[in-house]
Amino acid sequence: MARRHSGLRGREQELAALRAALSGEVGRVTVVRGPAGVGRSALLDAATRGLPTDAARVLPVRFDTEDPFGVAALLRALRGRFEQFSDIRLAESLNAVERLHRLSGTGSDWWIPRMTAELGVLFDRIARARRTALVAEDAHLVAEPALLLAAAGQSGCLVVASCRDDVEPTPGSAELLTIADQVITLGPLADEDIEALADRAAGGRLDKSAVAALRRALGPLFGNPGTVLATLEGLRDRLVPVYDRLCLRGPDEAITLPPDHHLLRRAERLGEPGPALLAAVAALGAIPLDELPLLSQAIDADLARCGRLLDELIAAGVLVVDETGRVSCLSPALAAAVADRPAPAWLHTRIATLLLDRRDEGTWVDPAALAEHIAGSDPTFALDEEIMAWLLDLAVEAETELPDHAARWYAAVLRRTDPSAPEHVRGLATLIGLVMRTGQYELLHEVLTRYGNLGASPASLHDLAAAVVLVVVHSTDPLPPSAVRALLDEPVVADEVAEFLQWWSGDLRGSTVELARPGGAPMHRICTREVASSDQVGLLRAAMSGDPELCRLAWQQAGRPADSPDLDRLREGAALVEVATVFEIVFGEGYRVPDTGVAARYQRVIHSYAAADWSTAMSAVRELEMLGSGDTIVHHAARLVAAEISAVCHQHASAAEWLAAAAPLPDLAAMHAWVEVKLLADAGRPRDAVLLAQRTYRQVLATGGRGCLEPLLIRGLEIAISVDDQEIAAELLAVIEQLHQQGACRITTAIVSLARGLVHRDQTHAQAGAGHVRDRGYKSEMIGACLVAAQFAADPAAWLYEAYEIACQSGSQNLRDHVRGLIRDHGLPAPRPRDRRDPFSDTELRIIELIRAGSTNRQIALDLNVSEKTVENHLTRLFARTGCRSRVELAAASLDGRLLEPAS
């Protein structure tokens, strides 16, 4: 049954046109066409609902496939509403039409003119009594709908018919369009309209990460309201409220189309092996057209029939072909709905077997293709020694040019190698290095599972401990308990594994002073053998120690440029437990952050916060809440970032909730106090805030820590000055200067200048500090720096307006109003008010980004996996919303910061 959806946002023009047709000249035929799920029925319902009393009465008819002319559906509709028609002769016409309909000559040369005449009499009697609109749905199901609809129009009825345009055209549907006086075509809805519809259906506002996941999964189907609503219904159990948004539990898990989606039903109607062929393409991701013979053999199907069915699946829009001739499913959600029939491992095993047979027969086989199928095969799929040696040699050759493939091939060899064998020891070390380079951390999860079941050589224990660290940091799958227990029973690595797991999990029960220091976690111990050089090991150890001087010396010893901003980024990343950035800087091309997992999301939190893109930062925090146990150190750090954003945006209740959810971990003590000090001051308790800042910095320094002290110190100093506590202000300034002397970096240079400006009321220092903050690129800190500089500037206008621009970019209406108030307090003209617009959707932001990069409409369509027409529709809306008249103006406005996304 077709799903109807409420709300017609984005269809205002079509609705107005249809209502005008229902009020217009009698005898006109209007056709509403569009693909399944696009909202044809919803549009007809809205257009006919609430018509004025003097408007046309509506006779709804829903066609089906029962007869080729739709007469049976008309008769049912009339008999169901017979009492609404006052003409007593209507019964005679109904009986005449019904008798003719039952005759065996339906569709013959004599029958069609007779039926046309009888229908004319019937509709004439209907229309004569009162203005009537015949509203016929699903005209595409009828072979010859024009006979009935034309008769209605010629007799003086208004006619509105809906039909699908994504089915194979028939002569009847072509004739329907020929007799139509007006055709209304429904295309995909714009992203913002789909998002509004999804929010209503979900019963709350979806987090932007959930919307993005839905968009990625549906691809070109995201603009189809019926598909979106049906898919959301299937996700209802996974939608979880996180404060004021609905988030997707298991955001890295697949989103699937509902089983009754029209594309899946279309594939089922083709009959076997159509569904099996579709499932095979989904399981493999994509196949070249020239591999169809192999695929048909794998699923035991006739090649000729597979070829015909493949063409039909492509024509139906279920499968698509790219420019290189590779066939894939229309969208990831469609693929996910069928990919386990058959299971991917079974299919890879079957194809690998066929390819190995060909190889044995002397037929050339693509080595990379064979290796990929072996890598994806069932772990129980046995390989002889010759194939194992061949696969290992292939993996070695691919390490440099094809590291992604090499990692999978090494993993395939390791899963079939005795864990105690020397080959396994060497292969595991190499695999860890390849996994770090390619981000395929799930391969190590499999290694650990096997170790927990079979054990390993003592020579592999440090590598296995490294695998534990990498999997915990980057994967959301829980560690195999048997592997953890086995490693904790090994004296060689038990302490470092236990220490790391305790630190990462935020377990306070066994904390010691050593653990309380940054660097208490054995992050550097993952660097063994081929994973990293000794310089990299030393640099990672120094960064995680929290000692700026030690980090500087290790940086120099590693031969890194002394003036590189990456040194400061390394220190800041380590202080924030931002492991992904630390690894990126230390290992360079030897490390890649995965697209999913905890480390990637937390990096997004920090980077978005720094860029004052706070809606994205908050979304990433909420998404983290849906990942893993929710109790790791980075989860708590992310909650503190969310609390800080909420506090700065004057959302104090929300800030207090986020702060309460963050455990008081020793490594995050300064960060925790940084937020709490702000809340205390805003609550009218500035002296308590100053004392908390003083007490916390002393405790952190006493335990040998340093992380995130500078933001706490400058905030405490500013509040101390506001309450005229010169003694504590001087003490905090002395500490700031001491930290700067011990390890000068970008953040200490900026903070010490701002602090001197505040204490000495010195314009030069204050403005220099703000300039250093700007150079550092942290827009989130630039707002406060601008306000400090404005306090002592002879002309504060430029600083205040800069703060206002960043406040606008942050997306916070409260913060924007606060800065606007400060501008008024200085007697300056208020910034020019901007029209309040709906936020730009992620797709629109991506289009703007691609236009700035010089991409054509075709290139943008390929990037977004949509049609060029959809891109053109988006551009038309963007031009209308922004006032830009061309792509060049749009790019220029974006670069100038004139396309500001309002609060969300």
Side-chain angles (χ1 to χ4, degrees), residues 213 216-218 221 231 235 238 252-259 264 278-285 318-319 328-344:
R216 287 192 301 269
L218 294 180
L221 296 173
T231 305
L235 293 173
R238 287 175 59 187
D252 295 336
E253 297 174 11
I255 293 174
T256 65
L257 287 182
L264 298 175
L278 173 61
V281 173
L284 297 176
V318 179
L319 297 177
S328 59
C329 290
L330 176 66
S331 73
L334 191 155
V338 298
D340 59 347
R341 309 191 301 261

Side-chain angles (χ1 to χ4, degrees), residues 469 472-473 495-512 514-524 544 573-579 582-583 602 631-636 665-668:
V469 172
V472 166
V473 170
D495 289 345
E496 65 187 69
V497 171
E499 184 182 352
F500 169 76
L501 292 177
Q502 180 184 330
W503 173 79
W504 181 261
S505 65
D507 184 358
L508 297 174
R509 290 170 296 179
S511 292
T512 64
E514 177 68 20
L515 271 179
R517 291 191 298 105
M523 301 295 297
H524 58 276
M544 298 307 296
L576 292 167
V577 204
E578 219 262 88
V579 178
V582 171
F583 279 21
Y602 183 58
D631 285 324
T632 70
I633 189 170
V634 297
H635 283 87
H636 295 297
L665 303 180
D667 279 5
L668 303 178

Side-chain angles (χ1 to χ4, degrees), residues 234 295 564 632 753 821 900:
L295 188 60
S564 171
T632 70
S753 295
L900 300 179

Side-chain angles (χ1 to χ4, degrees), residues 23 50 67 97 100 111 135 166 243 288 296 305 324 352 402 526 555 585 681 730 781 826 837:
S23 303
D67 69 80
V97 170
L100 192 57
W111 185 91
V135 179
D166 59 342
Y243 296 94
S296 64
R305 178 158 174 75
T324 67
L402 298 170
I526 71 166
W555 185 267
I585 295 170
E781 296 177 3
H826 279 77
R837 311 182 186 103

